Amino acid sequence: MVVSTIRQPETLAEAKDTVRRQEAELQDRRWQITELRRELEDTNRGLIALYTELEDARHAEARLAAIVTSSDDAIISMTSQQVIQTWNSGAQRLLGHTAAQIVGKPAEVLFPEESRELFEDTLEQIQSGLHAEPYDTRWRRSDGALVDVAVTVSAMRDGDGALIGYSTLGRDITHRLAVQAALAAARADREVVADRERIARDLHDMVIQRVFGAGLTLQGVVAMVTQPKAKDRIGAAIAELDLTIQELRNAIFELHRPQEATSLRSQILELTGTAQRGLGFTPTVNFDGPVDAAVPDDTADHVLAVLREALSNITRHANASAVEVSLHAGTELRLLVSDNGRGLGQAAHTSGLANLRRRAHDLGGTFEVTSRPGTGTRLHWRIPLRRA
Ligand SMILES: Nc1ncnc2c1ncn2[C@@H]1O[C@H](COP(=O)(O)OP(=O)(O)OP(=O)(O)O)[C@@H](O)[C@H]1O
Ligand SMILES: [Mg+2]
């Protein structure tokens, strides 16, 4: 800063000159100050804008994180080397692993053989810059069970467009598949009903009319016959034809009646569907083997009774958020019902469970309950199955 020293003016002219110079200097400083202030204000505005931008970005990020966290779907991100990087609670619900258990592991732990191939194909498509279509497959849960999922994989790229990983979305489609199966079964049923209607119509319009016609002809003949023995025999034949017509009518009535027998598979799906109301979520259901063909009706009734009790126990005692039901039909019939609820604890009495054990023993099988506090309960009911 320039500091001017004030001297005694020698002349008036000199004094005026000094004053003018000082005024000019002062003006100059005012200018500098105004300039500085403007610069300061500009900087300030810049800072505020930057702050606002940062805040917006922070909010956007928080919103995104909330969407991922609260999503019902499994949202999993992985590096380009297929190492799992993030794992939301939807993924935990669907597949069992917690984020702490799975982050850092190779993604292939989630895939059974056929699913791994589909995943690799999808990654190849993405790597060659194509859009990958969603696909249905099965993933492996932490307890080893397979769950049906619809999978969408997309590329994660950095600012320069380079591939840095994959984001994978998995949606539980157990319920959708169950509905599709029920629909297919309903369609098949409708075809059977249409077939029965057609057969009933043919019987009525053609077979009965012909038998009836034959009866009329015989009645005409009987009037012409004089021999009593022949008369009797023709009369008996006419009575026989009447009886046949009556039987045909009964058969037609039976054909028109709706079929009552429903498959074990659809009865199990119906049971789990009903249990959903009490549980607040849909149990996962897996079938393995010729469940409908290999299980006789009376055994199917036992299976349904066991499942009914197991689901009722979970609804009333378990406080679970996931239930898995699997039915395997092979040389033995295995029903597995597991929940992730509070576990059995020190159950003071057993009645429903004791019945399940008795049913298994009566059929030459076994019944096991395994349970650890906090990790849920697993019922394993198995009986030998005679091959049809
Ligand atoms: N899935 C489960 N989760 C947690 N606790 C369970 C579960 N299943 C059974 N329990 C506990 O085990 C006890 C015995 O079950 P059990 O089915 O034998 O009897 P209940 O359900 O109490 O009575 P009932 O079956 O006669 O209605 C229950 O009272 C409950 O405390
Ligand atoms: Mg019970």
Side-chain angles (χ1 to χ4, degrees):
M1 192 188 288
V2 186
V3 180
S4 51
T5 43
I6 300 171
R7 290 179 291 113
Q8 278 299 353
E10 278 141 36
T11 64
L12 191 61
E14 222 178 41
K16 274 186 182 162
D17 209 33
T18 308
V19 167
R20 224 175 290 120
R21 231 183 19 251
Q22 283 176 346
E23 271 177 353
E25 254 173 39
L26 215 65
Q27 185 59 32
D28 233 28
R29 289 232 188 104
R30 274 201 200 105
W31 262 103
Q32 281 173 358
I33 288 171
T34 314
E35 259 316 280
L36 271 175
R37 186 176 295 144
R38 199 169 300 135
E39 260 174 42
L40 212 67
E41 275 169 5
D42 278 355
T43 313
N44 226 359
R45 263 198 297 277
L47 278 174
I48 289 172
L50 198 67
Y51 178 76
T52 316
E53 226 170 82
L54 275 173
E55 274 290 277
D56 285 353
R58 227 161 45 85
H59 282 142
E61 201 175 310
R63 266 197 304 274
L64 211 63
I67 291 171
V68 172
T69 312
S70 65
S71 170
D72 263 350
D73 295 334
I75 303 180
I76 303 161
S77 71
M78 53 191 81
T79 65
S80 49
Q81 305 304 313
Q82 299 177 36
V83 174
I84 296 172
Q85 259 182 327
T86 64
W87 184 262
N88 73 342
S89 53
Q92 179 172 342
R93 269 195 299 278
L94 182 66
L95 298 166
H97 308 276
T98 63
Q101 289 165 338
I102 195 92
V103 167
K105 296 249 166 71
E108 64 176 28
V109 300
L110 307 175
F111 309 136
E113 193 59 46
E114 95 262 14
S115 180
R116 186 171 313 161
E117 275 171 30
L118 273 169
F119 191 68
E120 293 291 345
D121 291 350
T122 309
L123 295 198
E124 263 172 40
Q125 269 181 305
I126 291 178
Q127 282 153 10
S128 51
L130 298 172
H131 169 76
E133 289 298 322
Y135 59 92
D136 291 353
T137 185
R138 297 178 120 194
W139 278 354
R140 197 181 293 292
R141 290 173 45 91
S142 56
D143 59 6
L146 297 178
V147 55
D148 291 298
V149 280
V151 177
T152 314
V153 186
S154 0
M156 295 197 299
R157 300 186 183 277
D158 65 11
D160 301 326
L163 188 72
I164 52 168
Y166 306 97
S167 122
T168 305
L169 194 138
R171 168 165 298 179
D172 187 351
I173 51 167
T174 314
H175 190 61
R176 191 184 87 195
L177 293 185
V179 170
Q180 279 172 351
L183 213 69
R187 260 192 217 118
D189 277 354
R190 211 176 51 198
E191 275 167 26
V192 171
V193 169
D195 260 359
R196 291 163 67 95
E197 296 277 332
R198 186 182 50 73
I199 294 168
R201 222 174 24 241
D202 286 355
L203 280 182
H204 180 269
D205 296 352
M206 293 170 358
V207 183
I208 290 192
Q209 302 316 327
R210 280 202 191 155
V211 176
F212 190 68
L216 279 184
T217 310
L218 285 184
Q219 262 169 358
V221 171
V222 84
M224 297 185 254
V225 174
T226 48
Q227 219 186 15
K229 241 184 175 169
K231 240 182 164 62
D232 284 352
R233 288 186 69 175
I234 293 173
I238 291 171
E240 193 67 27
L241 288 180
D242 272 345
L243 217 67
T244 307
I245 289 177
Q246 192 50 48
E247 274 170 10
L248 280 170
R249 287 196 194 285
N250 289 343
I252 291 171
F253 179 75
E254 281 301 318
L255 282 168
H256 279 306
R257 260 194 356 178
Q259 278 176 297
E260 273 148 26
T262 41
S263 69
L264 176 58
R265 206 179 265 260
S266 60
Q267 286 182 91
I268 285 182
L269 290 172
E270 198 179 313
L271 249 184
T272 49
T274 314
Q276 184 215 344
R277 270 177 251 147
L279 292 166
F281 56 88
T282 319
T284 310
V285 186
N286 291 308
F287 296 110
D288 179 26
V291 168
D292 285 327
V295 183
D297 283 352
D298 50 344
T299 310
D301 290 344
H302 287 292
V303 173
L304 290 168
V306 171
L307 181 59
R308 205 172 289 120
E309 170 62 19
L311 291 172
S312 144
N313 276 353
I314 296 171
T315 309
R316 287 162 49 219
H317 312 302
N319 193 24
S321 63
V323 172
E324 183 166 337
V325 176
S326 344
L327 186 65
H328 163 89
T331 49
E332 61 174 10
L333 184 69
R334 284 201 300 269
L335 175 68
L336 225 120
V337 184
S338 53
D339 67 67
N340 66 348
R342 67 163 71 102
L344 219 53
Q346 299 286 317
H349 76 288
T350 61
S351 48
L353 290 177
N355 284 344
L356 303 193
R357 175 158 293 118
R358 202 166 312 123
R359 273 182 203 276
H361 285 174
D362 288 351
L363 297 165
T366 58
F367 173 60
E368 281 164 34
V369 188
T370 39
S371 166
R372 266 181 296 151
T375 59
T377 305
R378 198 172 126 106
L379 308 190
H380 197 172
W381 192 88
R382 53 209 283 186
I383 55 162
L385 206 56
R386 265 169 297 121
R387 280 209 175 278

